[in-house]
């Protein structure tokens, strides 16, 4: 497990995006995707299959908007992956999550392969303090003033928000740690990994920090692009393409940087394709206590110093 992998077709590195659907409005995000598509990128766009009834922390369009849905289905047919960002933009009970996943399968012809937890959803999987273990959990609880110690319960059997068994049966990859490094695979050479202490998630993946257009552009600097290429690495950017990438037009700096990246000899495939490939190359991996501890420590340190997600 060196973190260095032979990419297909002689490609020098791999790059993709998991787009968290927060703030996404069809009218503004479609131009961002048209640009990505025209530049040769095929990435992962997450969705909420159901329109919520409550006020969200962060909202946006759902698959109940027919124009938006038609557009997402078309994206899928063009080779983009559709990921899951929970059933809707607020908490869902077990029955609602089950119905939401069925709806997803009906709309996209299959259950989601990749997902990410959404801010504030009580059914999030191993979220809040459950993301980390032992002494790291204590540090996390101190940092967050215990706010997240019992908030997230998707993995707690018997809870009304529990859906761990369904997650295990239907979803392959769940996002956990985000690092401020362009080469995600170097930051987390174990991914995709299984964690026997968190059995309802089949595999975890990490990603690189770039939550909004400003931090995305800074992570995708020329220097970082060249590092990714030189290291023959893999980058999974975690971002919100609905957050500032379009203001009357697609952000000029974003276009310039992504155009530059697109001209390199990179493998630009969705998160699912990339993780499947890495898993195939590296084999099934149960993260060891030592490796988990290392990842958690690194993530906590970043969380304290630069506020990564
Ligand atoms: Zn979100």
């Amino acid at each position: 497990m060196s973190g260095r992998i032979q990419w297909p077709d002689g490609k020098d590195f791999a790059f993709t995006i998991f787009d968290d659907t927060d703030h996404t409005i069809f009218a503004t995000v479609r131009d961002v995707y048209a640009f990505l598509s025209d530049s040769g990128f095929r990435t992962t766009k997450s969705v909420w299959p159901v329109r919520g009834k409550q006020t969200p922390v962060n909202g946006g369009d759902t698959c109940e908007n027919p124009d938006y849905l038609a557009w997402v289905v078309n994206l899928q047919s063009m080779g983009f992956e559709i990921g899951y960002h929970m059933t809707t933009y607020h908490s869902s009970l077990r029955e609602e999550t089950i119905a939401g996943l069925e709806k997803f399968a009906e709309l996209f012809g299959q259950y989601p392969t990749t997902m990410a937890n959404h801010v504030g959803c009580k059914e999030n999987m191993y979220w809040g303090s459950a993301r980390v273990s032992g002494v790291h959990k204590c540090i996390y609880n101190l940092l967050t003033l215990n706010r997240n110690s019992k908030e997230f319960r998707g993995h707690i059997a018997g809870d009304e928000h529990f859906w761990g068994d369904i997650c295990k049966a239907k979803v392959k990859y769940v996002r956990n740690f985000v690092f401020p490094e362009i080469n995600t695979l170097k930051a987390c050479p174990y991914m995709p990994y299984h964690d026997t202490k968190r059995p309802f998630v089949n595999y975890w993946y990490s990603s690189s920090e770039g939550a909004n257009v400003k931090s995305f552009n800074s992570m995708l600097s020329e220097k970082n692009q060249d590092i990714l290429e030189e290291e023959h690495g893999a980058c999974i950017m975690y971002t919100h393409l609905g957050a500032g990438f379009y203001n009357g037009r697609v952000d000029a700096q974003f276009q310039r940087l992504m155009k530059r990246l697109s001209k390199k000899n990179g493998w630009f495939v969705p998160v699912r394709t990339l993780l499947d490939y890495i898993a195939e190359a590296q084999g099934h991996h149960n993260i060891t206590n030592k490796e988990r501890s290392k990842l958690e420590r690194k993530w906590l340190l970043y969380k304290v110093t630069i506020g990564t997600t």
Side-chain angles (χ1 to χ4, degrees), residues 20-22 48 58 85 116-119 238 240:
D20 176 315
T21 196
D22 296 19
W48 291 305
N58 291 342
H85 197 41
N117 291 316
H118 175 57
V119 60
Y238 193 85
H240 305 81

Side-chain angles (χ1 to χ4, degrees), residues 20-21 71 102 112 131 139 155 164 167 197 212 223 229 266 270:
D20 176 315
T21 196
W71 172 76
E102 291 306 319
R131 270 174 102 172
I139 298 169
H155 57 284
C167 183
K197 286 193 175 171
N212 55 45
K223 184 172 164 235
E229 183 181 32

Side-chain angles (χ1 to χ4, degrees), residues 32-228:
V32 178
Y33 273 91
F35 164 74
L36 285 176
S37 174
D38 290 349
S39 308
F41 294 101
R42 291 294 181 273
T43 57
T44 299
K45 177 186 178 352
S46 68
V47 296
W48 291 305
V50 173
R51 180 170 53 225
K53 297 181 186 73
Q54 301 158 29
T55 310
V57 179
N58 291 342
D61 268 333
T62 72
C63 296
E64 291 198 38
N65 173 341
D67 291 340
Y68 172 74
L69 174 62
W71 172 76
V72 174
V73 168
N74 188 50
L75 270 187
Q76 185 189 28
S77 72
M78 291 163 68
F80 285 84
E81 178 193 9
I82 309 306
Y84 181 65
H85 197 41
M86 315 314 274
T87 281
T88 189
Y89 38 61
H90 58 64
S91 301
S92 299
L93 299 172
R94 177 177 174 84
E95 309 76 67
E96 293 167 332
T97 298
I98 292 171
L101 281 163
E102 291 306 319
K103 179 87 183 173
F104 186 104
E106 184 192 315
L107 299 176
F108 303 111
Q110 59 190 114
Y111 294 103
T113 307
T114 59
M115 65 159 272
N117 291 316
H118 175 57
V119 60
C121 283
K122 287 188 168 47
E123 77 278 20
N124 282 348
M125 292 298 295
Y126 303 102
W127 211 236
S129 66
R131 270 174 102 172
V132 286
S133 326
V135 65
H136 298 128
K137 195 191 288 273
C138 302
I139 298 169
Y140 177 93
N141 281 334
L142 274 173
L143 285 172
T144 54
L145 307 173
N146 248 355
R147 270 193 313 268
N148 297 331
S149 64
K150 295 199 172 69
E151 185 67 10
F152 304 109
R153 304 196 288 269
H155 57 284
I156 300 175
D159 191 277
E160 60 183 1
H161 293 97
F162 174 65
W163 68 291
D165 53 337
I166 313 291
C167 183
K168 176 93 184 159
K170 313 282 192 208
V171 180
K172 190 168 180 188
Y173 301 116
V174 181
R175 193 213 87 191
N176 194 356
F177 300 119
V178 181
F179 297 107
E181 296 172 48
I182 190 73
N183 187 351
T184 319
L185 193 56
K186 190 179 180 191
C188 177
Y190 326 114
M191 77 174 191
Y193 60 88
H194 181 69
D195 184 346
T196 53
K197 286 193 175 171
R198 293 169 178 79
F200 292 125
V201 165
N202 289 302
Y203 293 99
W204 295 98
Y205 65 98
S206 297
S207 48
S208 296
E209 177 74 32
N212 55 45
V213 68
K214 192 161 172 269
S215 54
F216 186 100
N217 287 345
S218 133
M219 185 57 73
L220 261 289
S221 66
E222 285 93 338
K223 184 172 164 235
N224 277 348
Q225 293 185 17
D226 297 347
I227 289 173
L228 181 65

